Amino acid sequence: MPTSEERAYAYENARAAQGERLRTLETLFDAGTIAELEARGVGRGWRCLEVGGGGGSIALWLADRVAPDGAVLATDLDTTVLEGLSHPNLEVRVHDVLEHDLPEGEFDLVHARLVLAWLPDRRTALRRLIAALKPGGWLVAEDLDFASAVPDPHMGAAMCARFTRIVEAHHAVIAERHGFDPFYGRRLAGDLDDAGLVDTDFRGRASMWRAGEPGGEIWRLSLEQLRDGIVDRELMDAGEVDAAIAFCTDPRFSSLSPVMMTAWGRRPA
Ligand SMILES: C[S@@+](CC[C@H](N)C(=O)[O-])C[C@H]1O[C@@H](n2cnc3c(N)ncnc32)[C@H](O)[C@@H]1O
């Protein structure tokens, strides 16, 4: 039985790892997100809702963008990192998008990145996000599709096979543990159409993820988090998983990233 000090230490470690993971996601995806938000016209005076704000970089960017007379509400199940942000135009609120309603008809923009694919009931969540929009307001939703997460053949057959195996194990554990859909990106645009939004469109982005860069780091951090789950389910043995984790920092490591799919649409006027 771990002592309370050991439990506190393990908890702090898990928190630090989660913070590092959120920062790495921001490094990977913020430039693309910001380009899409700018293309929707977000600017001074807008009221924005950032759902599942995580590390808060996009909430802060929006708060600057809409200042001085706009405002941003950033929500998350866990607001530990968001609470540490300080901006006169930013409000932070603990909120579960599956359980609790949001202010209705209030926002010019609702943005959710890497949130919907993790939710067991996406339809309910989408309905809430859309109800929060003013008529004519924009929903911008972003999620990954791992269809393109394949190894770079330059790594050689053995390393490619190891990468393919660990990616399958990664999908199996997060799907079982969280109901995560690793291929949700391809459904996003259709879900916005089905939900009744108008002026819908989408764009996907992908790049190479390599060791020593944020792409290699996000694989390492994600696999470290899932290590015990993969071993407990006997998908791979501990030695194989540790080798795969180490492999993300091997200078030869190179893979095609998942597609980050951004989809958008307006609430009908
Ligand atoms: C993968 S992180 C993405 C964080 C941030 N949106 C980004 O892209 O950098 C997913 C975030 O969604 C939050 N989240 C998960 N389920 C949620 C729910 N039911 N309601 C609100 N937030 C949720 C998590 O706490 C986490 O901060």
Side-chain angles (χ1 to χ4, degrees):
M1 191 72 146
T3 64
S4 60
E5 263 169 40
E6 284 165 343
R7 276 200 305 276
Y9 184 68
Y11 180 69
E12 278 311 314
N13 274 350
R15 265 189 124 62
Q18 178 62 0
E20 196 182 351
R21 207 168 157 273
L22 289 171
R23 280 193 301 279
T24 308
L25 289 174
E26 292 175 348
T27 307
L28 283 167
F29 298 124
D30 276 6
T33 295
I34 287 170
E36 296 302 351
L37 294 175
E38 284 175 341
R40 307 286 79 72
V42 59
R44 184 175 171 169
W46 281 36
R47 249 184 90 54
C48 303
L49 171 63
E50 171 72 1
V51 176
S57 60
I58 293 299
L60 270 184
W61 181 84
L62 284 169
D64 271 340
R65 182 89 177 178
V66 302
D69 36 7
V72 177
L73 172 62
T75 67
D76 205 295
L77 276 184
D78 175 355
T79 54
T80 319
V81 185
L82 291 175
E83 296 288 355
L85 306 176
S86 162
H87 194 291
N89 301 74
L90 176 66
E91 181 194 344
V92 172
R93 200 179 291 175
V94 176
H95 179 263
D96 182 341
V97 72
L98 290 175
E99 294 293 332
H100 304 118
D101 286 336
L102 287 159
E104 291 205 7
E106 277 217 8
F107 298 97
D108 302 287
L109 170 79
V110 173
H111 174 246
R113 183 178 72 189
L114 300 173
V115 177
L116 290 171
W118 293 90
L119 303 178
D121 183 1
R122 292 176 200 112
R123 202 171 286 202
T124 297
L126 264 177
R127 199 168 352 100
R128 278 210 173 101
L129 302 190
I130 293 167
L133 286 169
K134 292 176 183 169
W138 286 106
L139 173 64
V140 178
E142 305 187 277
D143 268 298
L144 295 174
D145 193 312
F146 279 81
S148 57
V150 294
D152 173 353
H154 284 98
M155 290 195 293
M159 288 177 93
C160 286
R162 176 177 286 167
F163 180 75
T164 303
R165 251 167 89 63
I166 196 79
V167 169
E168 277 170 15
H170 164 273
H171 294 351
V173 174
I174 49 179
E176 192 189 314
R177 202 187 270 176
H178 301 285
F180 177 77
D181 178 353
F183 306 110
Y184 184 61
R186 72 192 64 176
R187 295 177 182 271
L188 197 48
D191 278 1
L192 298 198
D193 288 330
D194 289 350
L197 292 180
V198 296
D199 299 332
T200 53
D201 211 340
F202 56 88
R203 189 184 337 267
R205 290 186 164 83
S207 68
M208 297 307 291
W209 280 3
R210 294 179 166 159
E213 297 172 8
E217 273 306 281
I218 200 67
W219 270 122
R220 180 183 69 75
L221 292 163
S222 303
L223 295 176
E224 279 177 352
Q225 245 181 13
L226 299 176
R227 178 192 183 277
D228 294 347
I230 294 173
V231 175
D232 291 348
R233 286 167 183 78
E234 300 181 356
L235 297 169
M236 292 167 78
D237 67 37
E240 272 183 293
V241 182
D242 290 339
I245 292 171
F247 162 61
C248 298
T249 56
D250 182 314
R252 290 169 295 174
F253 175 78
S254 171
S255 69
L256 184 56
S257 75
V259 175
M260 170 55 88
M261 189 67 72
T262 306
W264 58 88
R266 280 180 195 274
R267 181 175 176 177

